[in-house]
Amino acid sequence: MVEIFLKTLPFFGLIALGFQAGRTGFFTPEATAYLTKFVFYFALSAMLFNFSANLSISEIFNWWFVAAYLWGSGVVYLLATMVAMIRRIGIAEAAVEAQCAVIGNTGFLGVPMLVVLMGEAAAGPVLMVLAVDLVVFSSLITILITGSRDGRMSLAIFRTVGLGLIRNPMIVAISLGLAFSGLSIAIPDVANEFLTILGAAATPGALFAIGASLAGKSAERMSVAGWLSFCKLVLHPAAVAFAALILFPVPAFDAGVMIAAASLPVAGNVYILAQHYGVAPQRVSASILISTMVSILSVSLVIAWVTPLL
């Protein structure tokens, strides 16, 4: 446990550095926004393209893997939704809370950290978790919020979802990389070197951006944020572990990576969605702040637990 904790510490140290820079005002909110945009559209996209271009579809996609992750995530998603409904809040708010309960920071934290800690073989399972989160759950929250506001389902909702997916640089990067891999298109050395250099900026840039963005987060509505953080850091990896290790025949290594990915703190893009739709952004903000702070220990515990599977 101590050894794993020391390995994860530099990653969270970069988050802490970004947080301090943002809290002191040395790194302004505008600077954080532009750094996040650079990482999201350029550095992280280059890293994801490089990973997927060097993997076959069979190394990434596995039906049992997807079924296990969806089952574990779906159980926690429904639980968070039920608790929200018991508190008599609307469908839109319930959807946002459920999103907090199952969507981890796989893109900005999981991809750079888990591949380093678990080896390059972890890239395939991590990319699969990221793809499911982006395609399934990001689409679901858009459908639920838009549908609840319109009072009905319409084809316009699915157009919005489709446009959102094809405009997401992470989805585009993974899809293009798999296309290059599937068609056996060799990437020229010059282009490969360019992508490697650009992708190398993803890890420090993403982690620093996470910290700097946390400096602007507040810790309001602690009880709800605490519950959602518990769902994300404890219930989500536990449900995914039950599905991957007991219910479905997922390979041990892939199961370990999936469980570790499920243990990550609430993703920043949930806040972006909440802010975009004007649905409980402060609640999401607090959940991101609390879950990220607690994950310094909880993620290390989970990785230490799954290490024998690797």
Side-chain angles (χ1 to χ4, degrees):
M1 166 60 195
V2 175
E3 183 181 351
I4 297 295
F5 174 72
L6 291 176
K7 286 183 178 180
T8 61
L9 203 56
F11 295 93
F12 288 104
L14 281 169
I15 293 176
L17 183 64
F19 179 82
Q20 183 64 16
R23 193 177 69 85
T24 59
F26 183 80
F27 222 71
T28 64
E30 185 180 19
T32 301
Y34 279 107
L35 174 61
T36 301
K37 188 174 290 188
F38 164 73
V39 172
F40 188 58
Y41 284 97
F42 299 99
L44 187 58
S45 295
M47 176 186 279
L48 292 174
F49 177 84
N50 249 357
F51 281 148
S52 54
N54 290 291
L55 294 169
S56 63
I57 294 179
S58 62
E59 289 178 286
I60 295 179
F61 190 81
N62 179 291
W63 280 111
W64 291 122
F65 184 99
V66 174
Y69 184 72
L70 281 176
W71 189 94
S73 300
V75 167
V76 179
Y77 194 98
L78 289 174
L79 176 62
T81 301
M82 287 173 56
V83 170
M85 291 299 187
I86 290 171
R87 293 180 9 246
R88 299 179 183 275
I89 66 175
I91 293 176
E93 286 185 60
V96 168
E97 290 192 5
Q99 198 82 351
C100 287
V102 299
I103 301 302
N105 207 337
T106 310
F108 273 45
L109 179 58
V111 172
M113 183 173 75
L114 296 182
V115 172
V116 170
L117 294 177
M118 298 178 156
E120 290 193 7
V126 173
L127 290 182
M128 191 71 257
V129 168
L130 178 61
V132 172
D133 283 346
L134 291 172
V135 174
V136 177
F137 292 104
S138 292
S139 301
L140 182 58
I141 189 174
T142 302
I143 292 170
L144 289 173
I145 292 177
T146 307
S148 68
R149 288 181 172 177
D150 294 345
R152 62 184 177 83
M153 299 295 290
S154 66
L155 292 177
I157 295 177
F158 297 99
R159 180 176 178 275
T160 300
V161 169
L163 288 174
L165 291 176
I166 63 176
R167 288 173 179 171
N168 189 305
M170 290 191 285
I171 289 289
V172 172
I174 293 172
S175 300
L176 284 177
L178 289 176
F180 270 70
S181 173
L183 296 172
S184 299
I185 300 174
I187 302 174
D189 291 341
V190 174
N192 196 51
E193 186 68 20
F194 168 78
L195 291 170
T196 300
I197 294 172
L198 181 57
T203 300
L207 297 175
F208 190 94
I210 291 172
S213 65
L214 286 175
K217 299 287 188 288
S218 62
E220 297 178 15
R221 307 199 68 164
M222 291 289 287
S223 59
V224 177
W227 156 247
L228 296 176
S229 297
F230 176 75
C231 287
K232 185 67 206 70
L233 300 178
V234 179
L235 297 185
H236 191 212
V240 167
F242 180 74
L245 299 176
I246 297 175
L247 294 182
F248 299 91
V250 179
F253 179 87
D254 292 356
V257 177
M258 185 199 306
I259 296 164
S263 73
L264 296 170
V266 180
N269 63 2
V270 182
Y271 176 78
I272 294 172
L273 284 169
Q275 193 174 46
H276 173 73
Y277 288 109
V279 180
Q282 293 299 101
R283 202 174 314 162
V284 177
S285 173
S287 302
I288 294 172
L289 181 61
I290 293 171
S291 64
T292 302
M293 291 173 62
V294 177
S295 70
I296 296 173
L297 289 176
S298 65
V299 169
S300 298
L301 282 170
V302 172
I303 293 177
W305 178 62
V306 302
T307 295
L309 299 174
L310 306 179

